[in-house]
Structures are given as C-alpha cells and as structure tokens.
Amino acid sequence: MFEAEGLMVFYENMLALNNVSLKCEETQIVGIFGANSAGKSTLMYTLSGIILDIRKKEEMAGGERITIRGRVQFNGRDIISDKPSSRARAGIILCPERRRIFPESTVLENLRIGGYLATSSQARETLDYVMTIFPPLKRILKRLGGFLSGGEQQMLAIGRALMAQPKLLLLDEPLLGLSPAIQYLLAKSIKEIRDQRGMSIIVAEQYARPIIPIIDYGYILENGAAVVDGGRQELMDNPDVKSAYFGT
Ligand code: ATP
C-alpha cells in the first residue's frame, strides 16, 4: 500500500539518498536501520514530503539546491509532488527526530494541537487511547512540554502523532537518547499501537536491537543506499547486520 521506488535526494552535489526503494504493506511495521548520516532523516522527510518544504525554504533563502527524484505511492497513487500537508490529510504522519514537542505548551495542549486533522469525537477517543497506551502522561497533562523527561517527551511526541489519525506513522529515531529500559518499553508500545489500531508504521533507528523484535520487515541504509533488506528473522541471522547493528 505504501511504496517508494528509486528515491534519489541530492543536497547540492552530495548524494544523500541513492536509489532507495522500499515497501510497507498495510499494518506492517518496517524498520530502517543505519548509522549516523546514513540518510534516515532524509528518507523520512522524503516519504512525508517535508523535503519539499525544506527545498522551498532553501530556494527562497538562496541556499543549497535540493534535487529529488523517484516515486512514492500511497494506495496506488503517486504522491511524490504532494505537499506534506496533503500527505498528512491522506494519513501519512511524521513523528520527527528529537521529538520537537512545543516546550511552552502543556502536555494536553501539545496533544490537542496534534488533533487538528481529527473530528472532535476522533480527538476525544484518541486522547483516551493515548492515555491508555502511555499511562504516565495522564498524571502530567498540565505540565509544560519543556519540563518532561526524555521518555515522557517521546511518549508525547508519539501521542501527538496518533492524534493526527495516521494510516502510516513515520517514526524518526524514537529511541534516541533514552535508557535501555525506556527503549524496550517504547518499542513494546509501538507494537501495541500497530496491533490495536491497525496502522502501518515505518521506524528509523540507529540501534536495531530494541526495534528488531517488533518489525515485520527491515532495510539497512548505508551511505544513502538500501544495502540489505529482509524479514525480521533473516536480518537477525545475517552476521554482518548482527555485528554492525545489534552490537553482538
Ligand atoms: P542522523 O542519525 O545523524 O540523523 P541520518 O541517517 O538521519 O543521520 P541524514 O540526516 O538524512 O542522516 O543525512 C544524510 C546525509 O546528508 C549526511 O551526510 C548529512 O550530512 C547530509 N545532509 C543532511 N541534511 C543536509 C542538508 N540540509 N544539507 C546538506 N547536507 C545534508
């Protein structure tokens, strides 16, 4: 249902994505694993359409030239030229790296802002769901976003993305900077969200270990290219993948 083909992204002459193709079927969790600078964020920006906004901003500021090639299809329709806002309306929602929650708004306000695409009954129902899947948020609804721990911030960031009613949720390094215990907890929640809400999820992460148990399929990104892909077990059994991404 979601398919990217031959994605190429250049920042000026620097190739950040090199002919990347990937698929995410309905209700699948797909992992994208890669080291720093492998191109994970660029890929997430390209799938969500944010790259078009970045390109426009650079053009207007007389900055670097960004070139985008390839196809992104959602339910059979080519959306590579669609703005991020229209992709969001279609259900493609990005939860960006480093969380980007609003530090001066409360937890509840952050969640309500996320619900701008939802009807009021959807917003109410999803808010209840977010409290069920992330119970710690319930106790801190009035706290400012800037005063949350890393784990709470990430729960809020995912909760806010859920409020936008995703059909495809894009998570960019959701575990970054969190303790191993919180990482495993969040990975479990991500799987529960898929199981309970039936959405598709693409999750980009540097360290595969906490994420690999919850994925259906995964891709390894190196220097902007998808060099290995396979099902969960296949990736776990691949010795190169194991030593580079599982730390074993
Ligand atoms: P990280 O884990 O550090 O976020 P990443 O896998 O998300 O890494 P990207 O941020 O997509 O990687 O970066 C891919 C490559 O493109 C890197 O070499 C990076 O330096 C480069 N790059 C990213 N954004 C820009 C930009 N706006 N202008 C020029 N080069 C960029």
Side-chain angles (χ1 to χ4, degrees), residues 138-151:
K138 215 170 174 169
R139 286 180 278 112
I140 53 169
L141 280 175
K142 292 195 178 133
R143 196 172 297 171
L144 295 182
F147 289 90
L148 305 185
S149 70

Side-chain angles (χ1 to χ4, degrees), residues 11-12 14-17 34-43 45 54 58 64 66 97-98 172-173 176 206 221 224:
Y11 297 106
E12 289 292 346
M14 203 227 110
L15 183 57
L17 283 188
N36 265 332
S37 300
K40 301 183 298 296
S41 293
T42 302
L43 178 60
Y45 290 151
I54 298 174
E58 288 292 332
E64 62 186 355
I66 299 178
E97 193 186 339
R98 297 185 198 284
D172 194 0
E173 299 207 51
L176 189 72
Q206 188 165 346
L221 216 53

